[in-house]
Coordinates of all heavy atoms in Angstrom, one line a residue:
E64 N -18.4 2.8 -4.2 CA -18.3 1.4 -3.8 C -17.1 1.1 -3.0 O -15.9 1.5 -3.4 CB -18.3 0.5 -5.1 CG -19.6 0.4 -5.8 CD -19.6 -0.5 -7.0 OE1 -19.1 -1.6 -6.8 OE2 -20.3 -0.1 -8.0
S65 N -17.2 0.3 -1.9 CA -16.1 0.2 -1.0 C -14.9 -0.5 -1.7 O -13.7 -0.2 -1.3 CB -16.6 -0.7 0.1 OG -15.6 -0.7 1.2
V89 N -9.4 -1.3 -3.8 CA -8.8 0.1 -3.8 C -8.9 0.7 -2.4 O -9.8 0.5 -1.7 CB -9.6 0.9 -4.9 CG1 -9.0 2.3 -5.0 CG2 -9.7 0.2 -6.2
I97 N -1.4 -1.2 3.2 CA -0.3 -1.8 4.1 C -0.9 -2.1 5.4 O -0.9 -3.3 6.0 CB 0.9 -1.0 4.2 CG1 1.7 -1.0 2.9 CG2 1.9 -1.6 5.3 CD1 2.9 0.0 2.8
M101 N -1.8 -6.0 7.1 CA -1.1 -6.4 8.2 C -2.0 -6.9 9.3 O -1.9 -8.0 9.9 CB 0.0 -5.5 8.8 CG 1.0 -5.0 7.9 SD 2.1 -6.2 7.4 CE 3.1 -5.3 6.1
H110 N 5.2 -14.8 12.9 CA 6.6 -14.3 12.5 C 6.6 -14.1 10.9 O 5.9 -14.7 10.1 CB 7.6 -15.5 12.7 CG 9.0 -15.2 12.2 ND1 9.6 -16.0 11.2 CD2 9.9 -14.2 12.5 CE1 10.8 -15.5 11.0 NE2 10.9 -14.4 11.8
A125 N 3.6 -4.5 10.9 CA 3.6 -5.8 11.1 C 3.8 -6.0 12.7 O 3.1 -6.9 13.4 CB 4.6 -6.6 10.3
R136 N 18.2 -8.9 5.0 CA 18.9 -7.8 4.7 C 19.4 -7.7 3.3 O 20.1 -8.7 2.7 CB 20.2 -7.7 5.6 CG 19.8 -7.6 7.1 CD 20.7 -6.7 7.8 NE 20.5 -6.8 9.2 CZ 19.5 -5.9 9.7 NH1 18.9 -5.0 8.9 NH2 19.1 -5.9 11.0
G171 N 16.7 1.2 -5.1 CA 16.6 1.2 -6.5 C 16.9 -0.2 -7.1 O 17.1 -0.5 -8.3
L173 N 16.4 -4.0 -8.2 CA 15.4 -4.7 -8.9 C 15.8 -6.3 -8.8 O 16.9 -6.6 -9.2 CB 15.3 -4.3 -10.2 CG 14.2 -5.0 -11.1 CD1 12.9 -4.7 -10.7 CD2 14.3 -4.4 -12.6
E188 N 5.9 -23.4 -1.2 CA 6.3 -24.7 -0.5 C 6.2 -24.7 0.9 O 5.9 -25.7 1.6 CB 7.8 -25.0 -1.0 CG 7.9 -25.5 -2.3 CD 9.4 -25.8 -2.8 OE1 10.4 -25.5 -1.9 OE2 9.6 -26.2 -3.9
S227 N 0.9 6.9 -6.8 CA 1.8 7.9 -6.4 C 3.1 8.0 -7.0 O 3.6 9.1 -7.2 CB 2.0 7.7 -4.9 OG 0.8 7.6 -4.2
Y248 N -8.6 -11.2 1.0 CA -9.4 -10.1 0.4 C -10.6 -9.7 1.2 O -10.8 -8.6 1.6 CB -9.8 -10.5 -1.0 CG -10.5 -9.4 -1.8 CD1 -9.8 -8.7 -2.8 CD2 -11.8 -9.0 -1.6 CE1 -10.5 -7.7 -3.6 CE2 -12.5 -8.0 -2.2 CZ -11.8 -7.3 -3.2 OH -12.3 -6.3 -3.9
E271 N -8.8 6.8 -12.6 CA -9.2 5.9 -13.8 C -8.7 6.6 -15.0 O -8.0 5.9 -15.9 CB -10.7 5.9 -13.8 CG -11.3 5.1 -14.8 CD -12.8 5.4 -15.1 OE1 -13.5 5.7 -14.1 OE2 -13.3 5.4 -16.2
A273 N -5.9 8.4 -15.2 CA -4.4 8.1 -14.9 C -4.1 6.7 -15.4 O -3.1 6.5 -16.2 CB -4.0 8.4 -13.6
R355 N 19.2 9.0 1.4 CA 18.3 8.7 0.2 C 18.3 9.9 -0.8 O 18.2 11.1 -0.4 CB 16.9 8.5 0.7 CG 15.9 8.0 -0.4 CD 14.6 7.7 0.0 NE 13.7 8.8 0.0 CZ 12.4 8.7 0.4 NH1 11.9 7.5 0.8 NH2 11.6 9.7 0.3
N362 N 13.2 19.3 -11.2 CA 14.3 20.4 -10.8 C 15.6 19.8 -10.1 O 16.4 20.5 -9.6 CB 13.7 21.4 -9.9 CG 13.3 20.9 -8.4 OD1 13.4 19.7 -8.2 ND2 12.9 21.8 -7.6

Side-chain angles (χ1 to χ4, degrees):
E64 286 188 39
S65 187
V89 182
I97 292 173
M101 302 290 177
H110 173 243
R136 295 218 183 274
L173 180 65
E188 282 173 359
S227 310
Y248 185 105
E271 188 193 320
R355 186 172 93 177
N362 67 356

